[in-house]
Amino acid sequence: MHVLNVRQVGSNYEYKWPSNQLEMYAAWIEYDTRAEDGKHILRIGFGRRPVYGIDRARIVVWIDGHPHAEFLGADDFDATGDVLSEIRIRGDVGEPMCRYPNDTVPERYTTFDVVGLPTRVSGKGVHSAWAVVTNVSNHKVMIDFAVLRQQERTR
């Protein structure tokens, strides 16, 4: 997906998840993009919420109004700005995690920095999953990851 331009930026974006849970994103940026199948609107929302026992940065990437990637702040987010998103593999039922360290990371993820989620995130209930890691400022990586997730869901 190719970013054409910044469409708009804003604050206090509220998204209603299918579970009817409302979630607030203090800041967001929206891009006009183009892919092989045409033009799309892509939004990245920046918020916070409790995850694994502490309040963490939360970033969601929407393509045409549908969420395709969710990132959470690493334990050292305040110092590094690093965020992570679990790698999930489309299966017959749901999207199971790509288990760290036992599963092999699929080849299509080789362009991303991949780490074991528990090596960067601690707390009660942290999943043993492989995760893509990037900096909160690296919108290109977040967009590329969201596009890959979108493509996996439509296969």
Side-chain angles (χ1 to χ4, degrees), residues 71 82-87 105 108-117 120 130-135 138 141 145:
F71 292 83
D82 286 349
V83 294
L84 299 99
S85 185
E86 293 176 0
I87 295 175
V105 176
R108 61 188 172 273
Y109 289 92
T110 58
T111 61
F112 298 102
D113 288 333
V114 175
V115 299
L117 184 66
R120 298 296 308 277
W130 288 105
V132 168
V133 62
T134 191
N135 188 273
N138 195 335
V141 168
F145 184 68

Side-chain angles (χ1 to χ4, degrees), residues 24-123:
M24 178 64 69
Y25 299 87
W28 54 270
I29 185 167
E30 198 169 80
Y31 296 102
D32 287 318
T33 64
R34 183 183 346 213
E36 290 178 8
D37 63 345
K39 291 185 178 181
H40 300 276
I41 297 172
L42 189 137
R43 179 176 285 193
I44 304 175
F46 303 88
R48 295 193 72 83
R49 81 169 186 193
V51 181
Y52 302 129
I54 66 170
D55 192 45
R56 296 182 186 271
R58 171 147 167 87
I59 299 168
V60 176
V61 182
W62 291 269
I63 300 172
D64 298 328
H66 300 282
H68 286 287
E70 301 175 51
F71 292 83
L72 65 104
D75 287 351
D76 60 354
F77 175 81
D78 290 339
T80 65
D82 286 349
V83 294
L84 299 99
S85 185
E86 293 176 0
I87 295 175
R88 294 186 170 268
I89 308 303
R90 184 179 170 103
D92 292 335
V93 179
E95 292 181 317
M97 285 178 275
C98 186
R99 298 260 176 215
Y100 167 81
N102 301 333
D103 291 347
T104 302
V105 176
E107 187 176 326
R108 61 188 172 273
Y109 289 92
T110 58
T111 61
F112 298 102
D113 288 333
V114 175
V115 299
L117 184 66
T119 68
R120 298 296 308 277
V121 174
S122 60

